[in-house]
């Protein structure tokens, strides 16, 4: 983005499996260390039989949302246009693809 585009907000969606969130959690804990100490990652519930019930899905969604809010609350981690952003999070959110698509639309 250039010039006046700096203050624009770009929205996009990414679809991820729980296992991809688990991998992100491991990688973020390696790179951010103590900054994630108070942020809980949801249990995988490996032996739960009812993973596809609406109640289970809603509970997992709420737990992932709490995790997500904690992660984005870590200082500067989401400043994707700066060098100090977290590369693992940037890849997970496919930021480069989203901004490239935005720039193509605006040309």
């Amino acid at each position: 983005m250039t010039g006046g585009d700096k203050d624009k907000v770009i929205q996009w969606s990414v679809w991820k499996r729980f296992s991809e969130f688990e991998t992100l959690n491991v990688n973020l804990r390696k790179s951010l260390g103590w900054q994630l100490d108070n942020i809980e990652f949801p249990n995988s519930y490996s032996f739960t039989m009812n993973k596809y019930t609406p109640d289970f899905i809603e509970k997992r969604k709420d737990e992932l949302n709490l995790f997500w809010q904690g992660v984005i609350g870590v200082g500067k981690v989401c400043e994707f246009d700066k060098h100090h952003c977290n590369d693992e999070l940037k890849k997970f959110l496919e930021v480069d693809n989203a901004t490239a698509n935005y720039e193509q639309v605006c040309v």
Side-chain angles (χ1 to χ4, degrees):
M1 291 180 281
T2 59
D5 290 342
K6 233 195 231 182
D7 297 327
K8 297 212 177 185
V9 174
I10 303 170
Q11 293 182 339
W12 68 97
S13 296
V14 291
W15 299 94
K16 303 292 182 180
R17 299 186 58 83
F18 185 78
S19 60
E20 292 172 290
F21 274 94
E22 287 179 307
T23 301
L24 175 68
N25 178 50
V26 169
N27 292 336
L28 288 177
R29 290 190 187 278
K30 286 179 187 173
S31 63
L32 298 174
W34 63 269
Q35 295 177 84
L36 297 184
D37 281 354
N38 294 324
I39 300 171
E40 272 189 56
F41 188 77
N43 189 330
S44 68
Y45 303 106
S46 301
F47 300 108
T48 302
M49 297 297 212
N50 60 352
K51 288 185 180 181
Y52 301 106
T53 65
D55 288 342
F56 179 84
I57 292 169
E58 192 63 30
K59 180 180 180 196
R60 176 164 277 173
K61 186 174 104 177
D62 290 344
E63 291 172 343
L64 282 171
N65 188 46
L66 282 173
F67 168 75
W68 194 251
Q69 294 304 314
V71 168
I72 64 174
V74 174
K76 301 180 181 181
V77 74
C78 291
E79 292 180 7
F80 298 120
D81 60 332
K82 307 253 181 359
H83 72 281
H84 55 254
C85 76
N86 184 276
D87 285 333
E88 290 296 328
L89 190 57
K90 188 175 182 178
K91 284 183 221 167
F92 183 80
L93 293 174
E94 302 169 18
V95 171
D96 290 336
N97 291 341
T99 54
N101 291 338
Y102 171 78
E103 289 172 1
Q104 287 175 355
V105 169
C106 293
V107 173

